[in-house]
Amino acid sequence: NLKSVLRQMPVYLAEVFMMFPMAYILVLGEIDISVGAIVCLSATLSCMVCNTNAPFIVVVLTALVVGALCGAVNGFILTRFKELPMIVTLATQIIFRGIAEVTLGAGGSIAITNTDGFRAIGGKVGQVPYILFLVLILGVLFAIFLGKSTFGRRTYAIGTNRAEAYYAGVHVEKIRFIT
């Protein structure tokens, strides 16, 4: 029923944030299987920062910076060494997950002591969670950017035929790294 859907919606909408950038990677004709490990490492380090009573914005920025650094490692290896995306991301998945497990130590979990920031973003307008509005806005922005921007059109071109995109003047490796 609708009440049950609204109650479970925040759990599933959080995963949509990973789907938007992954759509760009798939349009590019590639795949990234290290996403789960990157999320694990980002969450681990963010929880550790959160437990130091840091402001919530620092916790969020920690997650974003860790995720961006992991993505940059993947992008660097893919573009510099011209390896297959599945092999590279499988290897980095193991590395990122290993770093998270070593960081967590025995037991493999961490408890958050300061949950105020998470409660604030977990609010609702009536019965509809805030995150639904954010997902809808970001979904429209990602779709417009992919379909209408020069970057998006170049991404489509590379995914269609990498060699033709290169000969058409698209900086293939630069777009691959950014994506």
Side-chain angles (χ1 to χ4, degrees), residues 88-168:
V88 170
T89 58
L90 178 63
T92 57
Q93 173 189 18
I94 294 166
I95 292 167
F96 298 148
R97 188 62 172 215
I99 293 169
E101 287 187 27
V102 167
T103 304
L104 288 172
S109 65
I110 189 169
I112 300 176
T113 56
N114 182 8
T115 59
D116 296 337
F118 293 103
R119 277 199 208 111
I121 63 170
K124 296 180 180 180
V125 176
Q127 292 294 317
V128 181
Y130 292 150
I131 194 171
L132 176 62
F133 300 112
L134 184 60
V135 164
L136 292 174
I137 292 167
L138 287 177
V140 169
L141 291 175
F142 267 75
I144 290 170
F145 190 71
L146 184 61
K148 302 295 182 186
S149 72
T150 304
F151 181 84
R153 302 312 305 161
R154 289 176 179 167
T155 303
Y156 272 113
I158 295 167
T160 303
N161 189 324
R162 189 176 297 177
E164 285 183 13
Y166 174 78
Y167 290 124

Side-chain angles (χ1 to χ4, degrees), residues 5 14 17 50 53 73 83 93 118 122 133 147 152 176:
V5 169
F17 289 109
C50 186
N53 290 324
V73 167
E83 294 295 328
Q93 173 189 18
F118 293 103
F133 300 112
R176 287 181 70 215

Side-chain angles (χ1 to χ4, degrees), residues 162-174:
R162 189 176 297 177
E164 285 183 13
Y166 174 78
Y167 290 124
V170 175
H171 298 286
V172 173
E173 299 307 315
K174 180 180 173 184

Side-chain angles (χ1 to χ4, degrees), residues 29-82:
E30 306 208 2
I31 191 160
D32 184 352
I33 56 177
S34 66
V35 174
I38 292 172
V39 170
C40 176
L41 181 58
S42 296
T44 299
L45 296 180
S46 293
C47 288
M48 293 176 89
V49 169
C50 186
N51 287 342
T52 65
N53 290 324
F56 187 66
I57 189 70
V58 174
V59 173
V60 172
L61 288 175
T62 300
L64 293 174
V65 167
V66 169
L69 287 174
C70 292
V73 167
N74 281 341
F76 175 76
I77 295 169
L78 285 168
T79 57
R80 180 76 173 162
F81 301 107
K82 309 274 195 267

